[in-house]
Structures are given as structure tokens and as C-alpha cells.
Amino acid sequence: MKKILAALLCSWCALAAAQTAEELLNDGKNTENITTFGMGYDLKMYSPLKEISKSNVKRLVPIWNFSLSNDVGEHSQPTIYNGVMYVVNGNWTFAIDVATGRQIWRTPVQYERGALRVATSGALMRGPATIYQGKLFRQTVDAHVLALDMKTGKEIWKQKYAEWKEGYKGVIAPMIANGVLVSGMGGGDSTTRGFVEGYDPDTGKRLWRRYTIPVPGEPGSETWPNQAKPDAWKYGGGATWQSASYDPQLDLLYIGTGNAEPYNPTFRDGADCLYTASTLALRPKTGEMVWYYQSVPNDSFDFDATAESLLADVRVDGRMRKVLINAHKNGFLYVLDRTNGKLIAANPYVKVNWATHIDLKTGRPVLTDLLDRAMKGETVNVFPSRGTNATLIAFNPKTGLVYVNSWNFPRLMKFVDFKFVLGQGSTGIESTMTTPPGEAPGYHMAIEPLSGKVAWQVPMTEFASSAGMLATDGGLLFTGLLTGEFIALDQDNGKTLWKFKTGSSVNAPPITYTHKGRQYVTVLSGRGGSVASRLVTDSVPAGGSVWTFALMPD
């Protein structure tokens, strides 16, 4: 038996050859490999594959299922290279044979268990299993970034980037951009100061660090109350806990930053607090900030700008523009010129009551009286608490539409006193969240990004969706539900054409690819995440797994 396993491992070693920068740039062109998050550096979550289509999707059946030995939650996207699938979660890293679902190797994640006291949702991992030149890169919950050998799963290097006892945590996979390993951080609801940094992927040497909050005297520091509250900037939030997109032609990496801390603006004197709640355009080689756009100055409602931004080329006023599209947590769908950060459009895609609109000249939201009322001690109901729940949206360049799983989920909140304790929560609010009685918890939606016009929307029933959207040229949208169904929607109208019940909630972004010419669809299943878990509680069992589907032969 040992000889058989050794022979299998050796055969996979031959397949998992060193993966190159060129293959990252060309992700999507070779449909046998999925080497970046979001189906490409642009995070469009779009595939030209069409073997699985509206006419035959009812023949889609599971090919194999693989247990991930994890009850904490599955939020990541599988990576595929040369017939091997790589999967990460908070506790394990796996290599799996794409054809059979057989394990090639698995490596446990080594971390200090005390870090789980800071990571209130447990050890989670978002993003992909990042691969480059024969290495697999990931983070750990106790704030380390590390490299494993793709062939064996053995650790090559490991670097500590922050102290978990101060509130920092590792929840997001790093990415490769222009030969640099770019890594963010989690912990934005604790006493942290956000940053993003670059590493040498060969050695693990840190090359640069870009803080999202400037020290006094640096550009942007004038937007913090440094005289009245000289320590506010040191623990001011601005976490970078979701993935970045990258334009290799412009050599710009786009990453969002989290809310300012505490939410209660009294402790920040109501200042704009750059560069929290912003989109940053960075040079991956140096961390230089080329431009920024702050979507929510003085963010007081937990409106992170961390949601991933997809990149597209669209026609604006008769000419093609390089744009960045973001379905913001604050309820507005933004379109920016990604060459310079200038705002092109911003339209609400869910119910919004904290702002009347976004001023296209200043780029700033025009506030209602909600914040003033909250500042006077009133308990207010903020729409939305989240427009989407940290999920990838999709864009089909052929239809020109953005596809979103939206949430109808306000936050009933009150500002309260805040006592600073290093490493602990620092929100300064009391809040509850629930869908209004008789209303849909969320919608599957198709939206025209420039006008904000809703092409169609279909209400969800029990819960909103925390899964990503995937659009294909088969006329389908693949996504998932918290109740455990993996579903295919008609891209033209949102009608459910197919569904399959997995063993737990689907919170992850699906992928589609080919293996030896046959189209497959894969998604992770596994209840997890603070908001989703509070909603479904024990009505849906925990337990992580990989599900892979293909068409049943005629």
C-alpha cells in the first residue's frame, strides 16, 4: 500500500511543476487551470465555457465529494494547476486530484490556539490557495504568512507579520502581482492599524509595508484628530481583509480598506480618517499609493470598503473607459476610472437610508439626518447593514451586467461608551440585525453598472446568500445558499434552473474549468462566518467539503 501511495504522489509531483507569472496573467485563456482568485486578476467571475448550458444543466451531477476535516467554515476558492486542485481553510491545506477527488497531500495549519480568542469567527480563510513558481502561499489565524511546496505540502518559509494579542488576525490569502507576494491583514473591529505589504515569494523577506492610516505629518494625517486625540490613528482600523484585483497593463493593484475604529465617531472627533473606507491603487513592487478614493469619510456605520473590486472596460459617453466596479457594503454600486480613481457613477442597489445619494463632483455621500440622530443618543435603524456579505460579484462583458447577491438586512444600532483594551473589540456600538417582517431577506440581481438600472431581481426566501456569483457563456449563473443548495440561475431572468443540496451552507465563490476537455464546476460547502452562522444557527449542520460537478452523459 505504501508503494502505491508513493507512486501516486510521485506522479502528482510531475504534474505540479513550477507555475509562472505568465500563467497568472493568462488565467482564463487556458481553461484547464484556475490560477488566480475570481477567475482572473480582474475578478470578473466570468468564464467563456458553455458546454454546461441552460439547455442541459438539469443533467449536472456530482462527480466527487471531498471532506475538508473542518467545522469552522469554508469561504475560499479552489486553485487548479496541471490536474491538481489546491484548497485552503483555517485549519488545513490540501492537494487533490481533479479527476478523482483523491487526496494527494494535506498539511495542518500550525497556529497559536490563543489567537482564536481574537478571531471571534474562528480560523477562517478567504481567497484562493495562492500558487507561484512551485510554492503555495497562505496566511494563518495567528498573523503569519507562509509558503509551502506545491509538490509535497512541506513548509518552505514562514513569517510573522503582526501580534495576534493586539487584535490582528490572518483571514485573507495573499496574491502575486508583478512578482511580489502582496498580503493584507484582518482585525478591523479590534485595536489595530491597517496595512498591506509585499514579500519576496522566494525567501519571505518583507519588501514594503503600506499602512492605511498615516502617522502624524504624513499626507492624510490631517484628517485625524492628532492634537485632541493623539493616539486615535494608532488603533484606527482600516483593515485589508478581502482580496485585491490587479491590472497588469497599468501595473496597479486595487485593494479596499475597512471602517474606521471605533465606529462611534465621538472617539475620532467626526474626522474623515483617511485612508479608511477607501479604495487604494498601489504599485505592487513598492507599495507606492498612486491614487485613492474614500467612499465613506468618517465611516460611522461599519461600511467597510473592503469588498473586492472587479475590473472591466466599458463604454462611457461614447468611448471605452478602464473602470473599476464595486458593490459596496454601504448599498451603492460604484464605478470608478481605474487609471485615476475618478468617480463615474454611484447608484443604490439596495434600500439606503443613511445617505440620499453620492455627489458625483465631490465623490462624497450626501448624508441624511441618521448620523446626527445617532450622535444625539438615539437608537437608529441603518439600511443597509451590508449590501452584500463579503461575496464576489460577477460581470459578463457580453451582457454588460453585474450580478449580485444582495442583502435586505438593516442594523439597529446605538453608539455607546468605549473603553480601550489592547487586542479587544473597539466598535463603540450596540447593535442587532434582522430582516424586516414580511420582506425578502435578499435578492439575486442583475444590474446595469452605469445607470444602476435593475435588469431583474429574484427574491430569496429563508436567508440571503453569502456565496459568490459566477457567470458563464452557457447563459448560467452559479451561486449558493446558506441552506446548503448549490444552484444555477438563468442569466436572462434569474430563474432557478438547477439545484443540488450539499451537506452544509455554501459561502464560497464557485469556479468552472475543463479537465481533458470536459467542463466541471466546483464549490466549497461549509457553514461559517459570524453573520451567516448567527442567521442559520444549528438549522444547517457544520462540516466542510468540496463538491465537483459535470454533465451526466446522454
Side-chain angles (χ1 to χ4, degrees), residues 7-17 83-84 97 100 103-104 151:
L8 284 170
L9 182 58
C10 186
S11 66
W12 305 135
C13 289
L15 291 174
V84 180
D97 176 22
T100 65
Q103 178 178 295
I104 301 168
K151 297 178 181 179

Side-chain angles (χ1 to χ4, degrees), residues 261-426:
E261 288 292 338
Y263 304 174
N264 187 338
T266 300
F267 299 96
R268 297 177 282 105
D269 287 357
D272 282 1
C273 298
L274 288 173
Y275 298 93
T276 66
S278 300
T279 301
L280 311 182
L282 307 178
R283 295 290 183 204
K285 283 287 190 184
T286 63
E288 174 197 357
M289 185 166 63
V290 176
W291 60 256
Y292 74 91
Y293 172 73
Q294 188 176 45
S295 43
V296 191
N298 183 31
D299 180 10
S300 304
F301 296 129
D302 188 28
F303 287 146
D304 309 59
T306 53
E308 290 90 352
S309 295
L310 68 82
L311 311 181
D313 294 348
V314 301
R315 190 169 298 279
V316 181
D317 296 331
R319 66 186 182 94
M320 296 302 293
R321 299 275 295 274
K322 294 180 180 295
V323 305
L324 173 156
I325 301 173
N326 184 280
H328 203 289
K329 187 179 178 182
N330 70 12
F332 287 91
L333 184 70
Y334 289 81
V335 181
L336 304 179
D337 185 318
R338 70 176 184 268
T339 68
N340 56 26
K342 301 300 182 183
L343 181 63
I344 296 172
N347 296 284
Y349 64 97
V350 294
K351 180 179 178 180
V352 173
N353 72 350
W354 65 276
T356 60
H357 64 285
I358 307 298
D359 187 316
L360 294 183
K361 291 184 179 179
T362 66
R364 298 174 70 95
V366 179
L367 301 181
T368 65
D369 66 349
L370 204 68
L371 180 57
D372 285 341
R373 287 162 47 200
M375 292 294 294
K376 293 174 181 177
E378 185 178 336
T379 299
V380 296
N381 206 24
V382 184
F383 281 86
S385 67
R386 62 209 61 241
T388 64
N389 190 37
T391 58
L392 286 176
I393 62 176
F395 177 78
N396 186 334
K398 295 182 179 177
T399 66
L401 297 177
V402 171
Y403 303 95
V404 180
N405 285 323
S406 72
W407 282 55
N408 179 24
F409 202 55
R411 182 197 295 268
L412 188 68
M413 60 164 279
K414 179 182 176 65
F415 291 134
V416 296
D417 194 16
F418 163 67
K419 301 297 183 184
F420 177 88
V421 180
L422 184 65
Q424 295 190 12
S426 60

Side-chain angles (χ1 to χ4, degrees), residues 29-105:
K29 295 179 180 178
N30 177 2
T31 59
E32 299 273 307
N33 294 333
I34 303 292
T35 57
T36 59
F37 190 50
M39 303 294 293
Y41 271 138
D42 54 17
L43 300 188
K44 281 192 181 77
M45 285 296 286
Y46 161 77
S47 171
L49 293 176
K50 54 188 176 182
E51 176 190 345
I52 302 170
S53 66
K54 291 192 288 187
S55 64
N56 61 22
V57 69
K58 290 185 178 180
R59 291 179 20 230
L60 197 64
V61 294
I63 300 299
W64 54 260
N65 168 241
F66 181 89
S67 172
L68 293 172
S69 303
N70 182 49
D71 285 345
V72 182
E74 306 299 338
H75 295 77
S76 68
Q77 173 206 286
T79 299
I80 296 175
Y81 187 68
N82 283 359
V84 180
M85 178 182 294
Y86 301 93
V87 177
V88 294
N89 60 34
N91 291 302
W92 295 94
T93 308
F94 296 91
I96 306 165
D97 176 22
V98 165
T100 65
R102 178 175 292 181
Q103 178 178 295
I104 301 168
W105 55 256

